[in-house]
Amino acid sequence: MSTDELASKTAQICLGDNLLFVDEAAGSDETGTGTKCSPYLTALAAVAVVASMPEEKQATFKIAVKKAGDEEYSEITASALKKAKKAHEIMAKKAKKQAEQSAKDKEQIEAKEAEEQRRLEESKKIVLVEDSSLPAAKQIRIKEAVDCRNTRVKVFGWVSRHRVQGKDMMFVVLRDGTGHLQCVLNDRLCHTYDAVTLTLESAVALYGVIKEVPAGKTAPDGHELIVDYWYVVGKAPGGDDAITNRVNEESDPSLRLDQRHLVIRGDRASAILKVRARVMRAFRDHFDVCGYHEVTPPCMVQTQVEGGSTLFEFDYYKEKAYLTQSSQLYLETCLPSMGAVYTLSESYRAETSHTRRHLSEYTHCEAEIPFISFNDLLDTIEGMVKGVVKRLWDEPATRAMIKQLNPTFEPYTEPFVRMRYEEAIAWLNEHGKKRAEDGKDFEFGDDIPEAPEREMTDAIGKPILLTHFPGPIKAFYMPATKDDPRVTESVDLLMPNVGEVVGGSMRIWDHDTLLAAFKREGLNTDHYYWYLDQRKYGTCPHGGFGLGVERFLAWITDSFSVRDCCLYPRFVGRCKP
């Protein structure tokens, strides 16, 4: 009980009333005033109140106690009073000690703050000037540092990490997008106002000589910059607005998405985006070597490819238009003039799926190839995935980033598993996987949901080319197989830990068959006249596929969600920042 509380309780005792009442069953030490109508719960509370009175009054007060089950109050026994006084003395000593410690702590804090303020004032007097007698500094990027050892250089970047060691040394890890560089600042360099108040993510310029680190020490690329001059280019805030207070690894996912512009400065997020850039280049290099031409189809369309329920509709000069679900139909029109073609562009699906592998806007790698068979298509998909991974793996810098993100990753060199849809249904039933809607076995014609499909893929532990899906659960342009008209020449590539990464098929190339498919789906052929013309003017067997770049990246980098594999993810309820 505090001194103020005791004084308040003392003031509430009526003058002339020399009894303090304690009811061990119905009293209250928090709200009681010691009167008979408002007794305390414990004798300790009464003793504390008496002890707070002037000495001349203390002797006039007595304590009356009513124990649980008693009907009347009786004067406190000598032993109980002694026990209560002893407990009060112990509490008083403890409170005094705490008060003394609090005062000492306050004094130390004030002294520390005063010393910090003195340091800040002193630091403002230190002005750094570049030594004109030193060789001119060569401006470099961090990735060029290995080739510039023992040379005086100038490096711009952002403070990724920093720590002070003693009074005269400070380490700064600089980041410029091409790498990380450890920098050492000594003496006056770490006593300036900018050094004393340096914050993470501040942009700085550092001058000095790059030296190999001493034996037994470690640093990025095995060297460090011994700084001889530096200055702040753009200072980042500290305190409540410091980047570590805005976002960190423990932040709520929705907050991290709101602060995505800051999250991408982190080591993992930036590494994923760098790997993404190399993945895009690797796909282009692969297709270029294979003789494909890149095209850039429109993203504003008046046709559908994957079903009307997932179209983003908008007004296009008073006409109804959509954001494209796929560039496939346009790619097919290029075959007669350009041969095999591909595109790396955005596709849009208005799906309400809240899974870790769905986005409303994603990067779509699509290709179309003329004069091929279904087996050729399967070989093409497998060859592309293996070829792109090999390109990434053969680049030391990219390989290092992938190993940083996914230490257990190794290129898959064995043939991919090839499994028909019917075999997948049988596998699910043999392994006790049931339909979520009714708890029954899967049947031919069921669209296999994401969860059991992924469980199967993870259990098999190898890439699976899942083929020959029933026509009713696939797109209208997929042809039926000759040996079994119930199923189509279609394929999904399933990857462990991710699920479907590629979807592809042969395309219906007979004019009348395709026209019948349009009518069956209720599609207005007037909007597809240009697509139907491909079956009139020199048609040929052909096929193609679409790969989700974010899903491919999730597999390569072992990312839990595709949302981590793009710059600013767009999905249900998220269209910012």
Side-chain angles (χ1 to χ4, degrees):
M1 192 177 301
S2 70
T3 302
D4 290 343
E5 290 174 326
L6 286 170
S8 175
K9 287 183 177 294
T10 302
Q12 294 177 51
I13 299 173
C14 299
L15 292 176
D17 185 356
N18 64 348
L19 277 178
L20 290 177
F21 292 90
V22 174
D23 187 335
E24 295 181 352
S28 172
D29 288 346
E30 286 73 30
T31 61
T33 60
T35 62
K36 197 169 186 179
C37 59
S38 181
Y40 296 127
L41 178 66
T42 65
L44 176 59
V47 167
V49 170
V50 172
S52 69
M53 297 177 181
E55 288 186 14
E56 62 272 15
K57 287 189 175 184
Q58 291 183 19
T60 66
F61 278 85
K62 295 182 179 181
I63 300 173
V65 178
K66 183 166 69 172
K67 295 184 175 296
D70 291 350
E71 294 184 0
E72 299 294 334
Y73 284 92
S74 58
E75 186 175 351
I76 190 170
T77 64
S79 61
L81 180 60
K82 182 179 180 180
K83 182 178 179 182
K85 286 182 176 180
K86 183 65 175 177
H88 172 66
E89 289 173 4
I90 293 173
M91 287 183 63
K93 288 179 181 179
K94 185 176 180 182
K96 182 180 178 182
K97 188 175 181 180
Q98 287 178 338
E100 290 173 348
Q101 185 62 46
S102 296
K104 186 178 179 180
D105 291 344
K106 182 180 179 182
E107 184 179 337
Q108 289 177 342
I109 291 171
E110 289 175 348
K112 185 177 180 180
E113 289 175 348
E115 174 61 20
E116 183 66 23
Q117 189 59 40
R118 186 196 65 77
R119 283 186 64 215
L120 287 175
E121 293 303 320
E122 288 295 320
S123 70
K124 293 176 182 178
K125 300 175 184 178
I126 302 174
V127 179
L128 299 180
V129 178
E130 184 179 3
D131 188 344
S132 59
S133 68
L134 295 174
K138 175 186 177 183
Q139 184 172 327
I140 66 167
R141 292 177 293 175
I142 290 176
K143 73 175 185 178
E144 301 163 338
V146 173
D147 298 327
C148 295
R149 288 179 177 175
N150 302 312
T151 302
R152 188 165 185 264
V153 299
K154 174 183 181 181
V155 188
F156 289 99
W158 289 264
V159 177
S160 180
R161 295 184 293 277
H162 86 281
R163 64 181 174 89
V164 175
Q165 183 169 305
K167 293 183 178 180
D168 298 312
M169 182 176 288
M170 183 168 71
F171 290 90
V172 171
V173 176
L174 199 66
R175 180 191 75 241
D176 73 348
T178 71
H180 291 77
L181 177 63
Q182 179 170 290
C183 309
V184 184
L185 290 75
N186 291 293
D187 303 323
R188 295 179 77 251
L189 297 176
C190 54
H191 295 161
T192 66
Y193 182 78
D194 282 337
V196 173
T197 61
L198 187 63
T199 50
L200 295 180
E201 294 306 319
S202 291
V204 297
L206 299 169
Y207 296 65
V209 177
I210 297 173
K211 297 285 188 180
E212 288 189 57
V213 295
K217 303 294 184 180
T218 60
D221 294 324
H223 57 220
E224 57 191 7
L225 179 69
I226 308 302
V227 179
D228 58 54
Y229 174 68
W230 75 287
Y231 61 89
V232 173
V233 178
K235 191 169 187 176
D240 292 341
D241 210 25
I243 189 168
T244 50
N245 289 327
R246 291 281 298 276
V247 65
N248 53 61
E249 292 297 327
E250 286 72 42
S251 297
D252 183 85
S254 62
L255 175 63
R256 290 177 62 81
L257 287 165
D258 287 340
Q259 305 297 324
R260 179 70 176 165
H261 59 294
L262 298 178
V263 169
I264 61 176
R265 296 186 181 211
D267 290 344
R268 179 172 178 82
S270 61
I272 291 174
L273 292 177
K274 289 175 185 176
V275 172
R276 178 189 172 98
R278 286 158 173 77
V279 164
M280 299 284 278
R281 183 182 65 195
F283 274 111
R284 285 191 166 96
D285 289 345
H286 171 81
F287 286 121
D288 184 60
V289 168
C290 292
Y292 290 57
H293 290 97
E294 182 175 7
V295 295
T296 52
C299 68
M300 296 184 289
V301 301
Q302 292 184 310
T303 55
Q304 66 183 59
V305 181
E306 300 294 337
S309 63
T310 64
L311 286 167
F312 280 110
E313 183 179 323
F314 66 97
D315 178 75
Y316 186 77
Y317 304 110
K318 301 189 183 303
E319 288 188 81
K320 185 184 292 186
Y322 314 101
L323 293 178
T324 184
Q325 300 165 311
S326 166
S327 296
Q328 174 200 322
L329 306 189
Y330 293 101
L331 293 179
E332 289 187 55
T333 67
C334 298
L335 298 181
S337 59
M338 304 177 73
V341 291
Y342 77 97
T343 186
L344 277 165
S345 51
E346 303 307 291
S347 286
Y348 305 85
R349 303 281 173 90
E351 292 182 284
T352 56
S353 300
H354 286 272
T355 76
R356 60 190 176 99
R357 69 175 192 172
H358 280 90
L359 290 168
S360 297
E361 176 186 46
Y362 65 98
T363 303
H364 212 172
C365 175
E366 299 182 86
E368 291 293 322
I369 312 102
F371 301 107
I372 62 168
S373 67
F374 184 53
N375 283 332
D376 293 334
L377 178 64
L378 301 184
D379 292 340
T380 298
I381 294 171
E382 181 171 341
M384 175 194 66
V385 172
K386 288 181 176 178
V388 168
V389 170
K390 185 177 187 305
R391 289 178 185 279
L392 299 172
W393 210 244
D394 288 346
E395 295 177 351
T398 306
R399 181 174 182 171
M401 281 192 290
I402 293 173
K403 293 297 283 185
Q404 169 196 334
L405 294 164
N406 188 1
T408 62
F409 183 83
E410 293 290 338
Y412 195 82
T413 55
E414 298 178 13
F416 290 177
V417 173
R418 300 196 178 188
M419 175 186 287
R420 293 175 72 102
Y421 165 86
E422 281 186 279
E423 295 174 304
I425 293 292
W427 190 99
L428 293 173
N429 292 335
E430 288 169 4
H431 289 79
K433 309 301 178 184
K434 304 294 183 180
R435 295 189 303 206
E437 61 270 22
D438 57 14
K440 296 182 179 180
D441 283 350
F442 285 94
E443 298 178 354
F444 183 89
D446 288 340
D447 193 357
I448 302 175
E450 175 192 355
E453 180 183 78
R454 195 168 64 243
E455 289 176 13
M456 178 185 73
T457 307
D458 292 350
I460 294 173
K462 300 176 181 179
I464 301 172
L465 286 163
L466 189 60
T467 65
H468 299 92
F469 292 87
I473 65 173
K474 281 298 181 179
F476 70 92
Y477 51 77
M478 297 184 181
T481 60
K482 292 181 179 179
D483 59 332
D484 186 355
R486 299 178 307 159
V487 298
T488 56
E489 291 184 315
S490 53
V491 58
D492 285 350
L493 174 60
L494 312 178
M495 287 296 187
N497 301 320
V498 178
E500 181 189 345
V501 173
V502 178
S505 75
M506 296 299 288
R507 317 306 192 191
I508 295 175
W509 57 287
D510 175 74
H511 180 274
D512 292 341
T513 305
L514 182 59
L515 191 62
F518 273 113
K519 291 180 179 179
R520 185 176 64 249
E521 295 295 319
L523 296 174
N524 186 347
T525 55
D526 292 344
H527 294 158
Y528 296 86
Y529 72 92
W530 50 275
Y531 184 65
L532 284 165
D533 275 355
Q534 304 307 308
R535 276 68 181 172
K536 291 171 61 177
Y537 294 85
T539 189
C540 75
H542 62 281
F545 57 84
L547 173 144
V549 171
E550 288 80 10
R551 292 186 184 182
F552 182 86
L553 270 165
W555 170 58
I556 290 284
T557 64
D558 190 31
S559 295
F560 177 76
S561 172
V562 293
R563 298 172 186 178
D564 297 327
C565 298
C566 54
L567 187 58
Y568 290 99
R570 298 293 185 253
F571 53 92
V572 181
R574 170 66 57 174
C575 195
K576 65 177 183 180

